[in-house]
Amino acid sequence: ERKIIFPVHPRTKSKMERMGQLPANLILVEPMRYLEFIYMIKHASAVVTDSGGIQEETTFLRIPCLTLRENTERPETVSIGTNELLGFDKPAIEKAFEKLLAGNWKQGTIPEKWDGKTSDRIVEILASL
């Protein structure tokens, strides 16, 4: 049985626990520090999110990302990355999970200029002014 690790704010955790019986494989954890969270993403089978930043992290790490939003300010994570926008459409979410579990998720690539050399390019531009 796959574990689902869900970082949640303590207030959200409290509300979820009041909803009743949560699935045994759903593990609610406190918010994590950045490097801990990146470690979790890197070792995940997939990530479900509504966060724009996490769409970027999963694309860079080539981890499947299922985004529960209707749109994104990071379209490259969908067009060439590992992200799919699913909105809140239950059949679309179920279909995406079936695709993921069948091993048919898109591989994606890392967008051009996501190479860690942004500061070098900024310094070069500033130096040329």
Side-chain angles (χ1 to χ4, degrees):
E1 181 172 293
R2 292 179 190 244
K3 301 272 188 236
I4 300 170
I5 307 223
F6 189 20
V8 294
H9 187 278
R11 286 190 301 264
T12 304
K13 180 179 179 183
S14 175
K15 288 179 183 178
M16 289 180 71
E17 289 170 342
R18 283 184 290 199
M19 290 172 41
Q21 182 79 24
L22 295 174
N25 63 332
L26 179 63
I27 301 165
L28 304 178
V29 298
E30 298 285 324
M32 299 176 186
R33 293 184 177 137
Y34 181 74
L35 292 178
E36 293 169 328
F37 191 66
I38 292 300
Y39 178 87
M40 294 293 290
I41 291 173
K42 185 177 179 180
H43 293 90
S45 299
V47 173
V48 178
T49 189
D50 68 350
S51 165
I54 294 172
Q55 295 169 46
E56 290 179 344
E57 305 294 4
T58 54
T59 289
F60 187 80
L61 295 170
R62 296 190 173 158
I63 301 298
C65 184
L66 296 81
T67 300
L68 305 181
R69 288 174 51 178
E70 300 291 333
N71 53 50
T72 180
E73 60 279 8
R74 292 157 174 96
E76 65 277 13
T77 66
V78 176
S79 61
I80 63 173
T82 58
N83 185 26
E84 288 291 334
L85 290 176
L86 304 173
F88 301 101
D89 180 46
K90 187 175 178 183
I93 295 167
E94 290 172 349
K95 184 177 179 184
F97 270 100
E98 288 170 7
K99 186 176 166 182
L100 175 69
L101 295 174
N104 295 327
W105 202 261
K106 61 184 178 178
Q107 293 300 308
T109 60
I110 298 172
E112 184 182 358
K113 296 189 179 175
W114 284 24
D115 57 6
K117 297 179 183 175
T118 301
S119 61
D120 294 338
R121 286 190 287 274
I122 292 170
V123 168
E124 186 178 315
I125 291 168
L126 291 174
S128 72
L129 297 177

